[in-house]
Amino acid sequence: LGTETMANRDLAVGLILLTQTIIGILGNFSLLCHYTILSFTEYRWKSTDFIHKHLTVANLLALLCKGVPQTMAAFGRKHFLSDLGCKLLLFLHRVGRGVSISSICILSVYQAITISPGNSRWAELKVKAPEYIFPSIFLCWILQMLVNIIFPMYLTSTLNDKNITVKKNFVYCSSVRHDKTRDSLYAVLLSFPDVLCLGLMLWTSGFMVLLLYRHKQRVQHIRRATASSGSSPETRATQTILLLVSTFVCFYTLSSIFQVFMGLFDNPSLILVNIAAIVSVCFPTVSPFLLMSHNSKIPKICFAWR
């Protein structure tokens, strides 16, 4: 009965991960194709389109390098990666996740600058802001690679687990155990860029919410007079970014909680590892559909999921 229960649980986890991975890959790939096609047309690119493109690439990287192997492990294929494969997949997943966070942060800051009033301290940046988009995204990729380059060094494939007592088992990969102080310092190093981006996102989001509220109060009587229920493109873009940020913060908080629990245990349970994996791929799965649902320029073929 216990074996049957574990098999049913693994099957349920595998189906959830498989569904998430397929939907996420299709959504991000559709959005990436849309922006790739636009790059070969006479369409005038927006700065936010460039950020969206890199966000979808980062999401695809995170989904392919986390969702696919975790799904295979849930269906029983737990020993299929070599040491090099294990290190490479986990490294690329960390980089994709980090660039995804950084892209949303840049998107939030850029939109806050764009909608800021002419008499604010950010007014001078409005003209120059688009010029900083490309170097900012490029810098994010480089920084995430440098920060996470240490991450794969302590990972090995479960195929080579000869002394399991000194390793933490994460289904298809294992990590070498260290003392708590060293692990804590390493966790702070890895988390610092994420926490910095999270702080910037919350700050700019609060700023945008305040601006939208003031704008709504200011033009309320005009809308009543014209009986118009439509909103400006800037308002719709800001609402989309706020939705992205709030969705990310929710999933990031949940993911961080599970990561802390996994770090506290020398050998985290399989169900904890699986739940952490499911939560970690939630945002890459959801974010392309949030972008598509609020972008009227994306062809209707991208809305087949609806």
Side-chain angles (χ1 to χ4, degrees):
L1 183 60
T3 304
E4 184 179 352
T5 302
M6 289 178 62
N8 291 334
R9 184 187 63 191
D10 290 343
L11 178 61
V13 170
L15 289 175
I16 293 172
L17 284 167
L18 181 63
T19 303
Q20 281 183 301
T21 303
I22 292 176
I23 292 175
I25 289 175
L26 289 177
N28 284 285
F29 186 73
S30 298
L31 202 57
L32 183 61
C33 286
H34 166 70
Y35 287 119
T36 303
I37 292 171
L38 288 183
S39 65
F40 292 101
T41 65
E42 297 180 358
Y43 172 78
R44 185 177 177 181
W45 273 74
K46 296 180 181 179
S47 299
T48 52
D49 291 339
F50 183 77
I51 303 174
H52 292 164
K53 187 176 181 180
H54 281 267
L55 176 60
T56 57
V57 172
N59 286 340
L60 280 171
L61 202 59
L63 282 166
L64 289 172
C65 297
K66 185 69 171 181
V68 173
Q70 200 74 39
T71 301
M72 293 176 64
F75 283 123
R77 294 291 303 277
K78 299 179 180 180
H79 308 289
F80 59 93
L81 284 176
S82 63
D83 276 352
L84 179 61
C86 179
K87 294 176 187 293
L88 185 62
L89 279 184
L90 269 291
F91 172 72
L92 291 176
H93 169 256
R94 290 287 308 181
V95 172
R97 177 182 177 275
V99 173
S100 178
I101 296 170
S102 303
S103 299
I104 301 167
C105 179
I106 293 173
L107 195 61
S108 180
V109 172
Y110 177 79
Q111 190 64 23
I113 294 173
T114 301
I115 68 171
S116 61
N119 57 354
S120 69
R121 64 182 64 181
W122 285 359
E124 297 180 1
L125 290 174
K126 279 189 175 185
V127 179
K128 297 181 180 180
E131 301 175 5
Y132 298 140
I133 296 297
F134 176 79
S136 297
I137 293 292
F138 179 75
L139 185 63
C140 286
W141 282 99
I142 298 299
L143 286 177
Q144 289 298 329
M145 289 180 185
L146 292 176
V147 169
N148 290 288
I149 195 66
I150 310 172
F151 186 75
M153 292 183 180
Y154 303 105
L155 293 173
T156 58
S157 169
T158 52
L159 288 171
N160 300 325
D161 282 347
K162 296 178 181 179
N163 188 3
I164 196 66
T165 60
V166 296
K167 294 183 180 180
K168 285 187 178 183
N169 189 6
F170 297 109
V171 187
Y172 55 90
C173 284
S174 297
S175 68
V176 180
R177 295 182 196 165
H178 299 103
D179 60 275
K180 297 295 182 181
T181 303
R182 188 174 180 179
D183 282 345
S184 300
L185 290 174
Y186 184 57
V188 170
L189 174 64
L190 287 178
S191 302
F192 178 75
D194 296 351
V195 173
L196 181 62
C197 288
L198 185 63
L200 281 173
M201 279 188 281
L202 292 175
W203 178 52
T204 53
S205 296
F207 176 74
M208 286 188 286
V209 168
L210 182 61
L211 284 181
L212 289 179
Y213 177 76
R214 289 178 177 175
H215 177 72
K216 182 179 179 180
Q217 295 295 320
R218 193 178 300 117
V219 300
Q220 195 170 15
H221 66 282
I222 300 176
R223 289 184 177 177
R224 287 174 181 171
T226 58
S228 174
S229 60
S231 57
S232 66
E234 282 190 349
T235 300
R236 290 196 299 270
T238 304
Q239 291 171 346
T240 303
I241 293 169
L242 289 173
L243 185 59
L244 266 179
V245 171
S246 59
T247 304
F248 165 76
V249 170
C250 290
F251 287 131
Y252 178 81
T253 303
L254 285 174
S255 179
S256 298
I257 291 172
F258 283 110
Q259 291 296 330
V260 168
F261 278 117
M262 288 175 62
L264 292 176
F265 297 106
D266 289 336
N267 278 311
S269 64
L270 182 59
I271 187 65
L272 182 61
V273 173
N274 286 331
I275 293 175
I278 290 172
V279 174
S280 68
V281 297
C282 279
F283 180 77
T285 300
V286 172
S287 63
F289 300 109
L290 295 179
L291 290 172
M292 285 191 288
S293 63
H294 288 78
N295 193 337
S296 59
K297 292 186 176 63
I298 296 180
K300 295 301 180 183
I301 191 171
C302 292
F303 289 89
W305 61 275
R306 298 181 69 178

